[in-house]
Amino acid sequence: ETTPRMRTVMTALIQHVHDFAREVNLTTEEWLAGVAMLNWAGQMSNDKRNEGQLVCDVIGLESLVDDITYREASKADKPPTSSAILGPFWRADAPIRENGTTITFNTPKDAVVAYMHGQVTSAETGKPLANATVDVWQASTNGLYEQQDDDQIDCNLRGKFVTDAEGRYSFYCLRPTPYPIPFDGPAGKLLKLMDRHEYRPAHIHLIVESEGHRSLTTQIFDKDSKYLEDDSVFAVKDGLTVEFKPRKGDTQAEWDLEYNVTLAKK
Ligand code: DHB
Ligand code: FE
């Protein structure tokens, strides 16, 4: 379906691509190399691998779109929790789990478990939001999300939690670890070309939704992680780093992470 907005966007894109070609005096070989890169990304992509998005991410495009999207919300008197990029590994069909349960099923030997919990409130009023959904996902210690890894059970390290009457959620998860993004395709080739590494700092992904409020897609980063300054996909922002604290008297978890979220009204 053609809309006026689509026309505006595509017209600007074509103009900028022409300007780019003129600016660098693009040669036939270089243009063909670009075409091959696009085709390669398409051929590599399937339901476990989203290479097109990965390419956008290493050039900072998803992060820029996220900044543009959050800009308006950040102007509010009481800005909501900062957003961050979705990344390629979210799944729409993650199961709803009970608060206080775990998302780590076939836990690797080197795993370190954390208890993550917090409250979802309205940014404007500070009131708790009951029945909000907290959708979380994270990679295992081998750097793989479950859909990339035949050794993990389906929906390992992901799940949706529904907040209680006080807006609270809780679950056991892994204390996340840094890992490389898939490096064997065009995204990896681009990184190499720019002398950049493929690592991401330790993070947990979240989507928080509550009726009448703007949906929040974000990531939280372990403040002690490597690569906070040079995330390969530019997702780290102020206000998204969190502190894991030692957890006492819980045989199930070594670390405690309190993470509260505020959402803006629609
Ligand atoms: C990307 C994001 C992630 O969260 C991740 O784990 C790997 C890659 C990305 O934005 O490309
Ligand atoms: Fe991730």
Side-chain angles (χ1 to χ4, degrees):
E1 193 201 354
T2 314
T3 61
R5 167 68 184 171
M6 216 155 98
R7 236 178 237 278
T8 308
V9 170
M10 290 313 296
T11 305
L13 174 64
I14 292 162
Q15 274 168 5
H16 285 279
V17 170
H18 285 204
D19 285 345
F20 149 75
R22 273 188 287 266
E23 184 184 315
V24 301
N25 286 317
L26 198 68
T27 67
T28 306
E29 290 74 25
E30 288 161 348
W31 162 68
L32 284 172
V35 172
M37 197 98 151
L38 275 177
N39 289 340
W40 184 20
Q43 284 155 7
M44 279 204 104
S45 295
N46 52 45
D47 60 347
K48 292 172 189 206
R49 177 102 181 229
N50 187 340
E51 191 69 20
Q53 188 168 350
L54 213 56
V55 168
C56 290
D57 291 352
V58 300
I59 65 169
L61 183 58
E62 188 178 3
S63 168
L64 175 58
V65 171
D66 170 58
D67 279 347
I68 293 166
T69 308
Y70 184 73
R71 198 179 294 155
E72 198 190 334
S74 69
K75 288 184 200 143
D77 278 350
K78 293 173 184 162
T81 298
S82 289
S83 60
I85 66 173
L86 177 68
F89 299 116
W90 177 71
R91 264 178 72 170
D93 56 350
I96 293 184
R97 307 190 193 280
E98 288 293 316
N99 281 309
T101 64
T102 190
I103 60 170
T104 90
F105 296 96
N106 41 355
T107 313
K109 282 198 178 61
D110 56 348
V112 181
V113 176
Y115 180 70
M116 177 169 166
H117 57 99
Q119 195 180 25
V120 182
T121 57
S122 153
E124 279 89 359
T125 67
K127 293 217 173 83
L129 297 172
N131 267 320
T133 320
V134 180
D135 184 352
V136 303
W137 66 106
Q138 66 176 168
S140 190
T141 53
N142 62 359
L144 297 175
Y145 287 83
E146 51 83 26
Q147 72 267 55
Q148 303 172 279
D149 185 359
D150 292 336
D151 292 337
Q152 293 181 53
I153 66 158
D154 192 40
C155 286
N156 187 41
L157 300 175
R158 64 176 78 231
K160 292 178 184 162
F161 297 84
V162 179
T163 58
D164 66 14
E166 272 94 55
R168 296 190 183 281
Y169 73 89
S170 58
F171 54 85
Y172 291 90
C173 59
L174 300 182
R175 181 166 178 174
T177 37
Y179 63 81
I181 65 169
F183 198 61
D184 54 343
K189 190 145 191 167
L190 273 175
L191 286 171
K192 245 176 253 154
L193 198 73
M194 295 181 286
D195 288 322
R196 284 166 49 201
H197 67 73
E198 65 272 34
Y199 282 85
R200 295 220 56 212
H203 63 278
I204 300 173
H205 293 267
L206 302 160
I207 296 177
V208 184
E209 293 185 307
S210 178
E211 225 182 290
H213 293 77
R214 280 185 198 233
S215 162
L216 171 75
T217 299
T218 196
Q219 302 184 23
I220 49 179
F221 299 91
D222 186 333
K223 79 165 193 31
D224 295 326
S225 175
K226 232 179 137 175
Y227 310 114
L228 288 173
E229 305 297 326
D230 53 352
D231 181 1
S232 55
V233 298
F234 307 100
V236 184
K237 291 191 210 173
D238 289 348
L240 291 179
T241 48
V242 294
E243 184 177 357
F244 287 81
K245 296 185 171 153
R247 183 165 171 87
K248 311 253 159 59
D250 185 345
T251 54
Q252 278 193 79
E254 257 180 74
W255 298 96
D256 186 276
L257 175 62
E258 179 178 10
Y259 188 66
N260 302 316
V261 171
T262 66
L263 297 181
K265 280 225 166 62
K266 251 196 191 130

